[in-house]
Amino acid sequence: MARRHQYHQPNAPDSPGDGSDSDIQLDIDELGPNDDEDGDEDDASSAWDHNTLDTRIPLRNLRATHTRRFGIQRDNDAYREGEQTTAMHHLSGGRDSNGTIEDSAPLLEASNGSTTTRKSSPGGWRQSSLRLAKFFSSTPDSPPTTSPETQDSSLTGTSRNITIGQDPPPRFPPNAVSNAKYTAWSFLPRTLYNEFSFFFNMYFLLVALSQLIPPLRVGYVSTYVFPLLFVLSITLGKEALSDIARRRRDAEANRGPYTILRLRDPMGTSRRKDKRKDYVGGKNPPRKGRSNTSSSYPNRLDVIEEEEEIVGHNGKESKPAIEVDELTIRSRDIKVGDVVKLGKDQRVPADLVILKSFAAESGLVTYPYRPRQESLPNLSNGEAGSNPQTSGSALTTPVPPTEASLELGKLSGGTEAGGTGEAFLRTDQLDGETDWKLRLASSLTQSLEPWEFSRLRIVAGRPSKKVNEFVGMIECMPRSDPQKDSGAPQDRSSQKALTAPLTIDNTAWANTVLASNVTVLAVVVYTGAQTRQAMSTTPPRSKTGLLDCEINDLTKILCALTLTLSIVLVALEGFENREEMKWYVAITRFLILFSTIIPVSLRVNLDMGKSVYARFIERDQGISGTVVRTSTIPEELGRIEYLLSDKTGTLTRNEMELKKIHVGTVSYANEAMDEVNSYIRQGFVTGPADDVLEPSSLVTPSSSFHTPSAGNQTTRTRREIGSRVRDLVLALALCHNVTPTAEEEDGQSFTTYQASSPDEIAIVRWTEQVGLRLVHRDRKSITLQSVETSRVVVRVRIREIFPFTSEGKRMGAILQFLQGEASATPSVGDAGEIWFYQKGADTVMTSIVAANDWLDEETANMAREGFRTLVVGRRKLSAQQYLDFSARYKEASLSLQNRDARMARVVKEHLESSLELLGVTGVEDKLQKDVKPSLELLRNAGIKIWMLTGDKVETARCVAVSAKLVSRTQYIHTITKLTPETPAASALDALSLLRSKPDSTALLIDGDSLSYFLSHHRWEFISVAVLLPAVIACRCSPTQKADVAYLIRQFTKKRVACIGDGGNDVSMIQAADVGVGIVGKEGRQASLAADFSITSFHHLTKLLVWHGRNSYKRSAKLAQFIIHRGLIISVCQTMYSIAAHYEPNALYRDWLLVGYATVYTMAPVFSLVLDKDVDEGLASLYPELYKELTNGQSLSYRTFFVWVAISIYQGSIIQGLSQILVGSVDSPQMVSVSFTVLVINELIMVACEVVTWHRFMVASLLGTMAIYIGSIPFLGGYFDLAYVWSLAFAWRVAAISAISLIPPYSVKLLRRTLKPPSYRKVQGI
């Protein structure tokens, strides 16, 4: 497409002096008239006659002696956070705001020698010889505007400038979700650090390294090195596989397809260097979304040819239009400055600013954009062009809306420009609030077509974690007027850039969902790690179980015991009496010999056991869909004492349903709603029921209640009740902010409702169920229809709307009812009844409605049932009352100070007094499946439950009651509205009541008060809160949730579990000892970041009470057996060393030492991971069994020293009697007896500890014994094989085994009889 260029005289730098190319010393004035930067000369230059174009010199005819490159370079420094900077454009790539090439820079650069050199200076563009784009420079066409930083001081030093359609700087992070713990570089350092932070791993490492020193070597090096390497390989492999799985899940989320709009000119060149390909049908686009090459821009020779083509076509030219293409790309390839197209129920991929919103079915925008055609003046003779279809002389050009239309859009809200400019978002995955959020497109951009977005620039604040705050500004650059090219005079005022502020109402944060049936065009301002959701999320950490920490402490005791024993053995012989080796060498050799006390296989067996537990959990059909994402902490599930839970999506479904109404003398619920339906049919009879063509009249609150003629059967009381029910239903159908929308699915049309609160939608759906349907609503009117007759029965004109606020806790509306026939078109001057309706929380409505004797009692009854109550009232206004109120209200709305307070005061004085009480409604927030019994079971298991939610105080209170989180006997103590200015004494007094009755009091606290306590009285608050049976925290930010979890862990040293389903719960989940994520309707962020992923809340009970119990008890028993196995062989070594005159020589060498810990005992000992003391039914029936686990009795110092005593006894008996009965201290006969008894003893000890037998246990015991017997012929280097097959060997082995096993088992039976454990009590054994 041909294009005209305007050449201006540059302020070119002086020639560099000697050596310059004389051939290029040309009079640039030949190329065109001067175009000074002075404003006075602009008028002359703008009136430049286009006919002079024919006399200009084509650039190709200029003589130059050297070939010069005209490269395209992008200066990333053009985008600066913290200062307002501008983009540099090269001669061939820089375009002004209208798409024309900026050619005011030197056409031919000075040269030194034979090469052209462009020097860059630290000053960046300020010292560049290039002309700046008109967007950012003060030119005659674009007067200087106030910098955004000077307009809004809050942006100073922290802002980022975003020009739509241009590349962002590389410092902006990619838009990728990452839950991975490690990178390729950090994996080994971090995992090795974590491993060797455990004392026993470091101990094994030192022992293995000691074998490299010849004087310390006591056997093969491989005996000590390979087990350690095996342990590390298993652990690192598990971590690697786990992290790879996380990356694969992240990659799946990052591959989500999204549609962006690509702006390009008619030549097919994109305005940005974008090489992203269309990503449709799962095809993988290139890894790199943009290219840093200049191939997407025309080079200088193309520009020259283009200019010549313009001159050679009779001077006919046109300005380029920006065409819009749809491009489907991956979520991770979205960049700052991209325009994203979103539809209903689509998740927002990054932090966006909404530019335009329109109804999805309106089809307002089609892509690619085709500009309408318009004839342009003939450049050679000034005549109009001919038909473009025949001559091609008239070229296409967009005719954009005028600047005046943009100004008008500011006043009208932009709703007339092809869309409502409104969109509802679901933000429960971000902030936990169930109410939908209304978001608006800026009036400056709502009226723009997509191809005009290239004129927009956005100034946004620095990335922040505050999800409810945003400060920014949007600027629309002026477009060039087509009249400018024909020499017409310009209106300088029309060329000013338009600006508008941006607030939180113009944004859509990442991880929210577009809920309304609209199409939204929005520009990306923050990506990846800089989004609100990501910044509110703490980085993942490597979690270590409490059992591992306890075992680590026990190994320190064993090491101290080993060191003490080594020193004692050396000291008994004397430090100076050793001739063969130094005393410290002897101590070190003893330490190495006794290293089996801390068996290297301990960690291997425990890690393998964790994998088995994880497999049991994932294969449990009772909790199908459960995924173990962190397999290193399954034992933590059996030690939980505090459970922190989200509300929305975790305890509740966020599905509201109106369950009950009360009209003063009677209440309706369940089946009684059919009677309400009959009252509505009678109350909205507006015409003959048998003639649908007969016009019907509209119903007003003053209309009489029609009842069928049934003589004395219809009593006056029934008519009064019917009238009350009709008035209440009418108020509920009118007093709300719900908008009906028509949708179509599978060829069937249906109506859906959109509102900021699910409560409102539930109420409107209920009014439709009982016979009164909302069919139309806009900003000025509401229309209701009878469901039975499909006739319009009510039309009202909206005079005022008073929206719900957290402070006011009520919403109201002033409505004017239209009268007459429903088919008549209402006129502006129609008069009608004016009514004020209001509904709100009972705490505030009690003082607003007229005196009554039933409201308090009925709202208390509904609250006990867990319903969210709303009190509804009304008041009739005369025309004069409304005019008086309207005047005062308008006056208050114009106040510059305390505007909201003054407006609220006017409403209170004129409207909110002595309202007629219509009734009370009870709305139920449906709970997740089996939430009530699950919470009760967890509470009986000794777990204290906290509910942390971002929702309102009233909502949280109702859910806490309905879910039985708070029992009826418990008092709910509420602490709200504490600020930093609150005196410390009053804040501490609020805690005093809780301290006096901690067992019967639950705490309800809002986010501000929680923040106050965490900042000023941290320990005073947590010391009281951890004693309470339940705590409900409302209006919590994601960071506050994580802080609470950290604080409980830090203060109590107890295990804390956190459960949630949304992105706003990720920080809390990662801060917990055990994080549980629920796969929710709105996404899998919590599930991906959690240690355990479940599909429903009630699965948590089995996860904790059953699998947690088994995992902990099995690991505790397994760890103690492995310690016993290592300790008993060390005791045998000690007895042998004493008998061998304290010489540090090994009793069992090489294979015997390795085989004992692996082939001969590992399978039976490891089979203990299949043991269980109670079955699943008893564990759920008696949750009190779980409470015992939290005390850590299964693995404590007491149980540890009991096993130490057993090991010392059995080791002494085995080695001592072997030496005595064989009659030798160091002989193959003694080693064969001692080692055989050692293996048999361990196998029988395993059998004695089993509670519930499993076939694998039997097979492992018999199989191991068979393997040992079968391997004896191969142990000739250690045993006397002839002696082994003798009767003397057999009776000695039997006698020693009996003496070592019978006494410990007898003591165990006696203790079990006198003090049976709890599991035997519930089993009745």
Side-chain angles (χ1 to χ4, degrees):
M1 187 181 217
R3 180 191 310 262
R4 175 179 57 81
H5 303 279
Q6 299 175 2
Y7 296 105
H8 307 284
Q9 179 179 358
N11 296 323
D14 295 333
S15 192
D18 297 338
S20 297
D21 188 353
S22 61
D23 290 332
I24 65 173
Q25 304 303 320
L26 301 174
D27 187 359
I28 302 300
D29 291 338
E30 294 179 305
L31 301 178
N34 295 339
D35 183 13
D36 242 331
E37 292 298 333
D38 183 64
D40 295 332
E41 299 181 12
D42 180 61
D43 294 336
S45 63
S46 64
W48 176 33
D49 192 287
H50 298 295
N51 294 330
T52 60
L53 182 63
D54 292 338
T55 63
R56 285 179 283 167
I57 304 173
L59 293 182
R60 186 182 296 277
N61 296 336
L62 293 178
R63 183 168 59 89
T65 58
H66 302 286
T67 302
R68 290 169 174 82
R69 290 183 306 167
F70 294 93
I72 306 302
Q73 178 180 349
R74 180 122 187 133
D75 191 352
N76 288 326
D77 292 334
Y79 293 83
R80 300 270 188 194
E81 286 191 47
E83 65 177 358
Q84 186 162 342
T85 60
T86 58
M88 287 181 13
H89 291 246
H90 269 249
L91 302 178
S92 58
R95 289 178 173 80
D96 64 9
S97 59
N98 304 311
T100 12
I101 294 183
E102 281 291 326
D103 236 346
S104 55
L107 295 176
L108 301 173
E109 297 178 300
S111 162
N112 188 6
S114 62
T115 59
T116 301
T117 305
R118 182 181 303 274
K119 296 182 179 180
S120 61
S121 63
W125 63 269
R126 301 180 187 276
Q127 300 180 19
S128 174
S129 61
L130 299 180
R131 170 87 175 259
L132 297 180
K134 278 187 179 180
F135 273 40
F136 310 106
S137 61
S138 179
T139 67
D141 293 333
S142 178
T145 57
T146 306
S147 171
E149 285 82 348
T150 60
Q151 291 180 7
D152 191 343
S153 59
S154 64
L155 295 178
T156 303
T158 61
S159 65
R160 61 171 56 181
N161 298 325
I162 302 167
T163 301
I164 297 177
Q166 294 188 5
D167 284 336
R171 71 170 61 91
F172 291 162
N175 192 52
V177 176
S178 178
N179 290 296
K181 292 182 180 180
Y182 312 104
T183 65
W185 300 105
S186 66
F187 175 74
L188 278 178
R190 287 186 59 186
T191 51
L192 290 178
Y193 174 80
N194 292 334
E195 288 303 305
F196 290 115
S197 62
F198 287 100
F199 175 80
F200 52 82
N201 280 347
M202 181 58 70
Y203 180 80
F204 298 146
L205 177 63
L206 295 176
V207 170
L209 293 177
S210 69
Q211 297 306 290
L212 300 178
I213 304 175
L216 301 179
R217 188 173 301 164
V218 295
Y220 294 126
V221 176
S222 58
T223 305
Y224 296 90
V225 174
F226 285 168
L228 178 62
L229 292 178
F230 180 72
V231 170
L232 294 179
S233 299
I234 293 295
T235 306
L236 268 62
K238 287 180 57 179
E239 284 292 306
L241 292 176
S242 179
D243 213 50
I244 290 172
R246 290 191 187 94
R247 288 183 176 275
R248 287 176 177 171
R249 292 189 293 268
D250 292 342
E252 181 181 352
N254 293 330
R255 283 196 300 265
Y258 284 89
T259 300
I260 68 168
L261 306 187
R262 179 176 60 180
L263 307 180
R264 62 184 183 87
D265 60 34
M267 295 182 62
T269 57
S270 175
R271 287 179 49 82
R272 63 194 302 170
K273 294 169 284 187
D274 199 339
K275 285 194 174 182
R276 292 173 291 183
K277 296 183 180 180
D278 201 22
Y279 176 51
V280 181
K283 296 178 181 179
N284 291 326
R287 286 286 181 182
K288 296 183 179 179
R290 290 177 174 81
S291 171
N292 290 326
T293 67
S294 58
S295 60
S296 59
Y297 288 93
N299 59 35
R300 190 60 172 174
L301 296 179
D302 293 336
V303 174
I304 296 172
E305 292 175 355
E306 185 183 352
E307 188 268 341
E308 291 181 328
E309 183 181 357
I310 293 173
V311 176
H313 283 80
N314 298 323
K316 297 176 182 179
E317 61 175 332
S318 71
K319 294 181 182 178
I322 297 299
E323 292 189 354
V324 181
D325 291 334
E326 285 190 359
L327 186 67
T328 302
I329 64 173
R330 299 178 301 185
S331 173
R332 66 171 301 141
D333 292 331
I334 292 174
K335 307 290 184 183
V336 172
D338 281 341
V339 178
V340 182
K341 179 183 176 183
L342 297 174
K344 186 177 190 302
D345 292 330
Q346 195 168 8
R347 182 170 299 281
V348 179
D351 284 358
L352 311 177
V353 168
I354 298 176
L355 300 177
K356 190 178 183 70
S357 172
F358 50 89
E361 66 274 6
S362 66
L364 292 176
V365 180
T366 58
Y367 307 112
Y369 169 75
R370 297 297 183 221
R372 68 183 179 90
Q373 296 181 339
E374 179 183 0
S375 296
L376 295 180
N378 190 302
L379 297 182
S380 60
N381 54 23
E383 296 178 357
S386 59
N387 192 320
Q389 301 295 331
T390 59
S391 67
S393 59
L395 302 175
T396 59
T397 183
V399 179
T402 62
E403 306 294 343
S405 70
L406 294 181
E407 295 291 350
L408 180 62
K410 287 185 177 182
L411 301 177
S412 63
T415 60
E416 303 301 328
T420 62
E422 299 178 351
F424 284 102
L425 297 178
R426 292 197 297 269
T427 64
D428 53 323
Q429 298 295 298
L430 180 67
D431 56 18
E433 296 189 22
T434 56
D435 292 352
W436 290 4
K437 303 297 188 303
L438 176 63
R439 293 293 185 257
L440 305 170
S442 172
S443 59
L444 190 62
T445 60
Q446 177 65 23
S447 54
L448 292 177
E449 295 296 339
W451 52 269
E452 289 191 284
F453 289 164
S454 59
R455 298 169 48 210
L456 299 176
R457 188 184 66 175
I458 291 176
V459 181
R462 67 186 300 178
S464 170
K465 65 173 63 176
K466 297 179 179 178
V467 296
N468 295 319
E469 295 181 13
F470 177 73
V471 177
M473 187 184 71
I474 190 167
E475 186 173 10
C476 184
M477 295 302 164
R479 64 174 67 87
S480 65
D481 197 320
Q483 294 180 354
K484 176 180 176 181
D485 302 322
S486 60
Q490 295 295 303
D491 182 5
R492 297 290 300 275
S493 63
S494 66
Q495 296 299 316
K496 294 181 179 179
L498 301 177
T499 61
L502 294 175
T503 66
I504 187 66
D505 294 331
N506 307 119
T507 62
W509 297 144
N511 207 32
T512 59
V513 177
L514 183 61
S516 50
N517 188 26
V518 296
T519 298
V520 169
L521 304 180
V523 61
V524 179
V525 290
Y526 306 110
T527 54
Q530 293 182 348
T531 61
R532 295 303 202 263
Q533 187 264 342
M535 295 188 71
S536 299
T537 303
T538 57
R541 63 185 180 91
S542 297
K543 297 183 179 180
T544 302
L546 181 60
L547 182 71
D548 292 330
C549 296
E550 292 172 343
I551 292 175
N552 195 51
D553 293 337
L554 295 180
T555 56
K556 293 178 183 178
I557 297 176
L558 291 176
C559 182
L561 180 62
T562 302
L563 179 61
T564 302
L565 185 59
S566 301
I567 295 174
V568 168
L569 291 178
V570 174
L572 289 177
E573 186 179 1
F575 293 102
E576 303 298 334
N577 296 333
R578 294 186 172 272
E579 298 178 358
E580 297 181 358
M581 64 185 68
K582 300 292 185 181
W583 62 269
Y584 51 83
V585 176
I587 292 177
T588 306
R589 286 176 62 88
F590 273 123
L591 282 172
I592 297 170
L593 290 173
F594 295 148
S595 63
T596 53
I597 291 181
I598 310 173
V600 69
S601 59
L602 174 61
R603 188 65 186 272
V604 177
N605 282 268
L606 289 178
D607 286 347
M608 292 175 60
K610 296 174 193 288
S611 299
V612 173
Y613 310 149
R615 185 166 179 81
F616 285 161
I617 292 173
E618 293 181 340
R619 297 187 63 182
D620 191 337
Q621 296 301 315
I623 51 175
S624 59
T626 301
V627 179
V628 180
R629 305 198 188 279
T630 304
S631 60
T632 59
I633 56 171
E635 303 93 350
E636 297 296 275
L637 295 171
R639 309 287 294 276
I640 301 301
E641 294 192 50
Y642 290 90
L643 175 65
L644 276 56
S645 173
D646 179 41
K647 179 186 74 68
T648 307
T650 303
L651 298 179
T652 68
R653 304 179 192 174
N654 198 25
E655 297 176 4
M656 309 298 174
E657 183 179 2
L658 194 149
K659 303 288 288 187
K660 187 176 184 180
I661 64 170
H662 192 92
V663 294
T665 56
V666 63
S667 63
Y668 298 92
N670 302 323
E671 292 81 6
M673 291 298 180
D674 294 337
E675 189 172 354
V676 175
N677 200 333
S678 66
Y679 284 135
I680 297 304
R681 287 198 304 269
Q682 299 169 17
F684 289 93
V685 175
T686 59
D690 56 351
D691 188 359
V692 296
L693 300 178
E694 184 71 18
S696 60
S697 58
L698 297 175
V699 176
T700 69
S702 300
S703 301
S704 59
F705 183 80
H706 298 278
T707 56
S709 56
N712 296 329
Q713 294 180 1
T714 304
T715 63
R716 179 180 178 183
T717 301
R718 181 171 179 82
R719 287 197 301 272
E720 290 180 352
I721 294 176
S723 179
R724 289 181 184 178
V725 171
R726 184 196 68 175
D727 291 342
L728 176 61
V729 174
L730 180 61
L732 295 175
L734 293 174
C735 186
H736 53 70
N737 63 356
V738 180
T739 301
T741 59
E743 296 187 8
E744 186 173 340
E745 184 175 344
D746 297 332
Q748 296 182 350
S749 60
F750 56 94
T751 300
T752 60
Y753 297 109
Q754 299 175 2
S756 62
S757 172
D759 299 60
E760 302 249 86
I761 295 178
I763 292 175
V764 172
R765 283 177 176 165
W766 176 82
T767 62
E768 181 179 3
Q769 291 173 3
V770 297
L772 199 58
R773 178 187 294 126
L774 174 68
V775 294
H776 173 76
R777 187 220 172 92
D778 55 30
R779 297 184 180 182
K780 298 180 180 180
S781 65
I782 299 176
T783 302
L784 302 181
Q785 182 187 71
S786 171
V787 175
E788 183 182 20
T789 64
S790 298
R791 290 175 170 174
V792 174
V793 293
V794 177
R795 275 202 180 102
V796 298
R797 184 176 290 117
I798 301 174
R799 292 300 185 185
E800 295 286 350
I801 289 287
F802 312 104
F804 180 90
T805 63
S806 299
E807 295 75 21
K809 300 180 182 179
R810 57 192 183 276
M811 73 87 59
I814 298 179
L815 307 174
Q816 184 177 19
F817 285 81
L818 302 183
Q819 301 174 348
E821 293 184 358
S823 59
T825 303
S827 61
V828 178
D830 285 346
E833 301 175 10
I834 300 177
W835 288 81
F836 169 63
Y837 286 95
Q838 191 170 56
K839 64 181 180 183
D842 58 288
T843 54
V844 295
M845 292 295 292
T846 302
S847 60
I848 295 176
V849 299
N852 61 87
D853 57 356
W854 59 271
L855 178 59
D856 292 338
E857 179 182 358
E858 188 57 33
T859 54
N861 291 335
M862 288 190 181
R864 279 192 290 270
E865 295 180 54
F867 295 148
R868 304 163 74 162
T869 58
L870 284 176
V871 179
V872 186
R874 70 178 182 180
R875 178 182 176 183
K876 188 173 184 179
L877 302 176
S878 65
Q880 187 59 44
Q881 286 176 322
Y882 171 70
L883 292 176
D884 292 343
F885 162 77
S886 182
R888 290 286 306 279
Y889 192 71
K890 183 177 181 180
E891 179 184 354
S893 66
L894 298 177
S895 301
L896 298 179
Q897 296 180 348
N898 300 324
R899 177 184 300 175
D900 294 341
R902 292 185 180 184
M903 293 169 67
R905 190 180 305 116
V906 172
V907 173
K908 185 174 182 63
E909 292 175 356
H910 288 75
L911 303 177
E912 295 180 339
S913 61
S914 301
L915 266 64
E916 177 189 354
L917 177 59
L918 296 178
V920 182
T921 65
V923 177
E924 180 187 42
D925 188 355
K926 292 183 179 180
L927 300 175
Q928 293 281 4
K929 180 182 178 182
D930 295 335
V931 163
K932 293 181 182 179
S934 298
L935 290 177
E936 183 178 4
L937 187 148
L938 294 174
R939 198 163 40 242
N940 292 336
I943 299 175
K944 294 181 172 62
I945 304 171
W946 292 36
M947 185 173 75
L948 309 180
T949 176
D951 224 329
K952 298 185 289 291
V953 174
E954 294 78 11
T955 304
R957 180 194 296 269
C958 294
V959 171
V961 174
S962 63
K964 306 301 181 186
L965 179 63
V966 178
S967 65
R968 295 191 176 187
T969 59
Q970 292 175 346
Y971 165 72
I972 301 179
H973 182 62
T974 304
I975 301 177
T976 58
K977 298 181 180 179
L978 295 184
T979 63
E981 292 75 23
T982 304
S986 60
L988 295 176
D989 288 343
L991 298 176
S992 60
L993 177 62
L994 298 173
R995 195 182 299 275
S996 61
K997 297 180 179 179
D999 295 331
S1000 60
T1001 306
L1003 172 63
L1004 177 63
I1005 186 170
D1006 65 357
D1008 292 337
S1009 303
L1010 179 62
S1011 178
Y1012 172 82
F1013 280 118
L1014 294 180
S1015 301
H1016 297 85
H1017 306 289
R1018 193 178 186 90
W1019 297 111
E1020 291 85 348
F1021 168 75
I1022 197 64
S1023 63
V1024 175
V1026 295
L1027 302 176
L1028 304 177
V1031 176
I1032 304 101
C1034 317
R1035 295 293 186 187
C1036 287
S1037 66
T1039 305
Q1040 283 181 321
K1041 292 182 178 182
D1043 289 343
V1044 170
Y1046 276 122
L1047 189 59
I1048 296 176
R1049 291 175 50 210
Q1050 185 179 8
F1051 181 82
T1052 63
K1053 309 300 181 184
K1054 305 294 185 181
R1055 298 291 97 177
V1056 177
C1058 294
I1059 182 171
D1061 74 316
N1064 61 315
D1065 302 317
V1066 171
S1067 294
M1068 174 180 69
I1069 287 173
Q1070 293 178 339
D1073 296 297
V1074 176
V1076 182
I1078 296 179
V1079 180
K1081 298 179 181 178
E1082 308 303 334
R1084 303 193 304 169
Q1085 287 79 9
S1087 170
L1088 293 175
D1091 304 306
F1092 300 89
S1093 172
I1094 59 178
T1095 58
S1096 181
F1097 181 85
H1098 74 281
H1099 289 171
L1100 181 66
T1101 57
K1102 188 174 185 180
L1103 192 65
L1104 298 182
V1105 174
W1106 173 239
H1107 290 288
R1109 174 185 181 83
N1110 289 339
S1111 298
Y1112 170 63
K1113 291 189 73 68
R1114 289 167 176 172
S1115 287
K1117 184 179 290 187
L1118 179 63
Q1120 292 176 133
F1121 250 96
I1122 294 174
I1123 292 175
H1124 165 265
R1125 185 180 64 187
L1127 191 58
I1128 192 173
I1129 198 173
S1130 297
V1131 173
C1132 292
Q1133 174 68 47
T1134 303
M1135 296 295 295
Y1136 170 76
S1137 298
I1138 293 174
H1141 306 289
Y1142 310 106
E1143 289 297 326
N1145 298 321
L1147 170 61
Y1148 307 121
R1149 298 177 181 274
D1150 306 330
W1151 168 250
L1152 294 183
L1153 193 62
V1154 175
Y1156 171 74
T1158 55
V1159 178
Y1160 300 144
T1161 59
M1162 183 174 180
V1165 171
F1166 186 72
S1167 69
L1168 292 173
V1169 300
L1170 303 174
D1171 193 19
K1172 56 183 180 181
D1173 54 358
V1174 294
D1175 58 26
E1176 182 181 340
L1178 286 177
S1180 301
L1181 185 62
Y1182 298 99
E1184 293 79 9
L1185 293 173
Y1186 184 88
K1187 190 183 300 185
E1188 296 180 351
L1189 305 181
T1190 59
N1191 299 326
Q1193 294 181 358
S1194 297
L1195 180 62
S1196 61
Y1197 287 117
R1198 185 185 65 82
T1199 58
F1200 168 73
F1201 284 112
V1202 168
W1203 278 102
V1204 169
I1206 294 174
S1207 301
I1208 293 175
Y1209 168 78
Q1210 291 184 333
S1212 301
I1213 292 296
I1214 292 172
Q1215 185 61 27
L1217 290 182
S1218 296
Q1219 295 175 171
I1220 293 173
L1221 295 180
V1222 174
S1224 173
V1225 174
D1226 188 8
S1227 66
Q1229 292 87 353
M1230 187 276 299
V1231 171
S1232 60
V1233 171
S1234 173
F1235 189 80
T1236 302
V1237 173
L1238 194 63
V1239 171
I1240 294 174
N1241 180 85
E1242 197 66 21
L1243 297 182
I1244 296 178
M1245 285 292 291
V1246 169
C1248 294
E1249 289 295 321
V1250 172
V1251 177
T1252 304
W1253 284 92
H1254 188 276
R1255 60 178 179 273
F1256 180 78
M1257 295 178 176
V1258 178
S1260 64
L1261 286 171
L1262 297 179
T1264 299
M1265 196 65 207
I1267 290 174
Y1268 177 71
I1269 295 174
S1271 66
I1272 290 178
F1274 303 96
L1275 300 179
Y1278 310 100
F1279 293 174
D1280 183 348
L1281 297 181
Y1283 179 75
V1284 168
W1285 304 115
S1286 65
L1287 183 61
F1289 172 83
W1291 74 262
R1292 285 178 174 82
V1293 168
I1296 297 174
S1297 298
I1299 297 173
S1300 67
L1301 287 169
I1302 292 176
Y1305 188 71
S1306 301
V1307 173
K1308 179 181 178 180
L1309 290 178
L1310 180 62
R1311 183 177 181 277
R1312 182 182 298 176
T1313 302
L1314 299 177
K1315 190 179 179 180
S1318 299
Y1319 73 88
R1320 296 184 68 85
K1321 293 179 181 178
V1322 299
Q1323 289 176 334
I1325 301 177

